[in-house]
Amino acid sequence: MTMKFTKNIAVALIAIAGVAGAASASSKADKEPIKQVWSFEGVTGKYDQAAVQRGWQVYQQVCSACHSLKYFKFRNLAGMGYEDDMIKAFAKEYEVAGEPDDAGDETVRAALPQDTFPAPFPNENAARASNGGALPPDLSLIVKARHDGANYVYSLLTGYSDAPAGRDIAEGKSYNGYFKGGQIGMASPLSEGIIDYEGGMPATQEQMARDVVQFLMYVAEPKLEDRKHMGFSVMLFLLAMTIIFYLSMKKIWKPVKEGKNFYED
Amino acid sequence: MAEWETIKPENKALGWFEERLPILSLVHNVVGPGTPTPRNLNYWWNFGSLAGLMLVIQILSGVVLAMHYTPDTAVAFDSVERIVRDVNYGWLLRPMHANGASFFFIAVYIHILRGLYYGSYKAPREVLWMLGLVIFLLMMATAFMGYVLPWGQMSYWGATVITNLFSAIPFVGEDIRTLLWGGFSVDNPTLKRFFSLHFLLPFVIFGVVILHIWAKKVSDSGNPLGIEVKSGADQIPFHPYYTIKDAFGMGVFFLIFAYFIFFAPDALGHPDNYIPANSMVTPDSIVPEWYFLPFYAILRSITFDIGIPGTDITFISAKLLGVIAMFASILLLFALPWLDTSKVRSARFRPTYRWFFWFLVADLVLLTIVGGRKPEGIYPLLGLLGTAYYFAHFLVIMPILGFKEKTLPLPESIANPVVKAAE
């Protein structure tokens, strides 16, 4: 009797688990991000330094007009393969707020390597006012702050198209199937040839999108390569330690396995 | 309880100290060579010491993180990014602490399920079991408050959802919520008190862990056969046998833990928590960390009021009932030693209970899935069924099964099969 009862419950539970597994979460954008292969993925993944540098050029010349990078300091350029004097030169091209002068008036000075990359707008209201009410998000963590972030950003930048029939797009907005709700405040930012790559790489939309994703991933996680590098040493050490523990255990437990009585009565 | 052995160190200074505070004797008798322990403990018995180890890792990494973290809504998010970007090895400490919480829960969940399978909660170990549940409840409070500290979107909205639950309690609910908030919404005072309590509670847990181990010393460890120790032949010294076995288990556990820290540090987190908290924007779906999902599913599964049908009279609102169900799902475990009426401890000799144990595990997996999904389509129904089954398991099946089930014959002693087989 109990066996039949338990079997019924087993069948019911398996059925329920099956239904739960099959019904997938509903997507909020029209399209799922396009899957791309990224050099920084996987356990041995590294940044593609040339692509990161090109992405930095794309950010400077295109994205930085509207998007800030509040956690990115000029000195972080060192991890992208730039020398100290180049970083100082980069920084000097920008102006940041300085200390008040002796009369208490505000001053500006050339940026130094320890300074944060200057934001395009002084505050949120100014940013919204210049962008038809929409707020261009800070991009420091954008790749980590979205599901499947690298593919998402790539797909978004290359995914502008005409709106499907019957879909109204408001004045000043664009249709993008990868964006939640489909209606985005940013016009397609990367048009072919919008920048001249140093080194002569053709600036196609896909190329610029791939490069800027490499750069933004670096900005989101500058220590990614350190992390994976140390991970290998740690895993190797733990593996050796575990094997030693295992062999010691086998040796120490031998008398127990042979039935030794430690507490003769 | 085995006889207490007194250690007399040969070193004079050590001997002098030991006479005044017998700390070596304590270790010797609780987890040392003078601690007779059942000889048949399997690998499921590794997870107690692993949970203890995770507590130590959380406290050590947490203390260093607290040196660099700032509990202020204006800069909390920035200070966490500063830790990861600019503090020496901050990029390692932060994922170690965040994933450490998950691995602490993994160890504790396996430890609790082991107790359910082998009947570890039964006499004479009821207090040992209940102290474990107290640790579990404290862990949940600590983990919840810790998740609020980075002040991302999930931090803020998770805190809002959970603190709002308390307002469902009749008469005092609103006041409790105000007390938790330190004001009239989740804000700066909330963050500051959560930080303070998040720092304090782990040390309270540490204290209860000591009581938990003390209770283990008094009632001795259970074992996979679920029968009492009959003679010295059933036992081996804790050290070196179980210390080395625990060390090996630690190695394996740490390999998996390290994989997550170094190669998938964000896999168990939610991307929305990389967006700074914003009280004006609600995330698409507010989900807690994975280890709270079954309880979150139970909470949300109740969507009906209890009252007189056909009238507007409500005795218990759906919200309050959900809160009651969620808390009851853990609190009823305190009564488990008496809800389980079987004389046999180990599921090894309880063929029917063994099935029900795995049904319960399947039910918890189901509730975990439901808790992570939006309450749409089939999920609310699945959540309700899963919740009903969870309570039925403990309140109906366990009490009845003890009387109805035909258990298998118990072995004569722990040593008998082991010793005989070797001859």
Side-chain angles (χ1 to χ4, degrees), chain B residues 141-352:
Chain B
T142 309
F144 162 66
M145 288 190 280
Y147 194 57
V148 176
L149 303 185
W151 209 243
Q153 273 290 68
M154 278 300 157
S155 301
Y156 177 85
W157 288 99
T160 302
V161 168
I162 301 300
T163 50
N164 265 317
L165 295 179
F166 289 88
S167 68
I169 301 167
F171 310 117
V172 292
E174 302 272 344
D175 293 331
I176 292 175
R177 188 177 62 179
T178 306
L179 192 66
L180 287 170
W181 284 346
F184 300 99
S185 67
V186 173
D187 210 334
N188 212 20
T190 325
L191 180 61
K192 285 182 192 296
R193 64 193 54 200
F194 278 18
F195 175 62
S196 170
L197 293 172
H198 183 73
F199 201 107
L200 168 74
L201 286 183
F203 298 95
V204 178
I205 293 176
F206 199 86
V208 185
V209 167
I210 289 173
L211 297 181
H212 188 66
I213 296 172
W214 183 9
K216 187 221 82 157
K217 172 65 189 168
V218 172
S219 58
D220 285 335
S221 292
N223 68 80
L225 295 177
I227 57 176
E228 288 300 323
V229 165
K230 296 219 169 69
S231 68
D234 290 347
Q235 294 170 308
I236 54 176
F238 190 93
H239 181 76
Y241 299 101
Y242 286 115
T243 35
I244 187 66
K245 194 170 176 174
D246 280 349
F248 169 58
M250 178 192 77
V252 175
F253 193 75
F254 276 15
L255 272 167
I256 305 169
F257 182 30
Y259 178 83
F260 273 85
I261 295 173
F262 291 105
F263 300 112
D266 294 319
L268 298 171
H270 197 292
D272 278 22
N273 229 24
Y274 278 112
I275 304 171
N278 184 345
S279 60
M280 309 302 281
V281 180
T282 318
D284 284 325
S285 58
I286 302 170
V287 284
E289 293 276 80
W290 69 267
Y291 39 79
F292 290 140
L293 289 176
F295 305 101
Y296 193 55
I298 291 175
L299 169 79
R300 292 195 303 179
S301 70
I302 314 280
T303 49
F304 48 85
D305 299 325
I306 290 185
I308 300 170
T311 69
D312 284 340
I313 301 167
T314 306
F315 299 133
I316 306 176
S317 68
K319 188 179 173 191
L320 177 58
L321 204 57
V323 173
I324 291 172
M326 183 176 73
F327 283 107
S329 68
I330 298 168
L331 294 179
L332 72 81
L333 295 173
F334 281 90
L336 185 58
W338 298 277
L339 288 169
D340 181 353
T341 51
S342 178
K343 296 236 174 342
V344 176
R345 288 199 191 95
S346 172
R348 234 180 239 187
F349 307 105
R350 302 186 59 188
T352 318

Side-chain angles (χ1 to χ4, degrees), chain B residues 21-32:
Chain B
L21 184 73
I23 202 146
L24 293 176
S25 301
L26 184 73
V27 173
H28 176 86
N29 284 288
V30 178
V31 286

Side-chain angles (χ1 to χ4, degrees), chain A residues 6-74:
Chain A
T6 51
K7 260 190 193 149
N8 286 339
I9 291 193
V11 170
L13 282 174
I14 290 166
I16 288 170
V19 172
S24 62
S26 61
S27 139
K28 296 144 231 147
D30 292 354
K31 298 185 215 164
E32 288 292 317
I34 308 161
K35 296 282 169 214
Q36 293 273 306
V37 178
W38 300 103
S39 67
F40 46 78
E41 287 174 332
V43 290
T44 54
K46 279 190 162 69
Y47 290 118
D48 174 349
Q49 202 171 79
V52 174
Q53 293 190 359
R54 287 196 302 271
W56 158 237
Q57 201 185 334
V58 176
Y59 172 76
Q60 274 182 299
Q61 294 179 17
V62 183
C63 321
S64 69
C66 300
H67 293 278
S68 59
L69 276 187
K70 64 176 174 176
Y71 298 122
F72 190 70
K73 307 221 163 82
F74 288 102

